[in-house]
Amino acid sequence: MAIATLGVTVLDCPEPRALAAFYAAVLDWKVAEDRSDDAWVELDGPHGRTLAFQRSEGYRAPSWPGTEHAQQFHLDLDVPKQRLDEAEGEVLRLGATLLEGDNGGSRGWRVYADPVGHPFCLCAQ
């Protein structure tokens, strides 16, 4: 049984609406206005796919293929709400590190780093 399913792919950027407009044009996806604001913009794609753009103050563009400003992103992994604690235990066992909890259950996500430091979230569904 899988620990989680892949949810939203999120790209950090300085201007979410501008980058979303670019990808909307490239992919012919639509902005989900009901789930978007100035700091977070989501695009709806086929088959339930979602691509989101999150404002990152002080954003520095990656330099590819160099590593001085490596590419950065985070993944939101959906987990049934009743399995969130179990999923946390499993990702920790696999080498993840808890970076930020769900504030005593008041938020629907928890933030982790994978074994090499890339952030990802377990999101209660």
Side-chain angles (χ1 to χ4, degrees):
M1 172 187 230
I3 295 171
T5 58
L6 183 62
V8 177
T9 300
V10 182
L11 299 173
D12 287 353
C13 60
E15 296 293 332
R17 287 205 177 271
L19 193 57
F22 170 80
Y23 279 101
V26 169
L27 299 169
D28 195 28
W29 290 14
K30 304 296 179 215
V31 172
E33 292 295 345
D34 62 326
R35 297 187 316 274
S36 298
D37 58 36
D38 288 339
W40 178 275
V41 178
E42 290 187 8
L43 297 180
D44 287 332
H47 312 291
R49 293 182 191 139
T50 302
L51 183 60
F53 306 88
Q54 174 177 271
R55 180 179 313 283
S56 175
E57 298 302 326
Y59 175 78
R60 291 172 38 168
S63 61
W64 188 88
T67 58
E68 184 177 328
H69 302 288
Q71 296 180 58
Q72 299 293 313
F73 69 97
H74 81 263
L75 298 173
D76 285 349
L77 305 176
D78 294 341
V79 176
K81 187 174 185 171
Q82 66 274 15
R83 289 196 63 232
L84 190 58
D85 290 336
E86 177 186 347
E88 176 174 276
E90 292 182 46
V91 299
L92 294 173
R93 181 181 59 78
L94 292 170
T97 302
L98 178 64
L99 298 177
E100 185 174 282
D102 59 6
N103 200 22
S106 67
R107 293 190 324 210
W109 72 91
R110 299 173 187 171
V111 183
Y112 305 85
D114 69 17
V116 296
H118 298 111
F120 69 94
C121 299
L122 291 181
C123 301
Q125 298 295 306

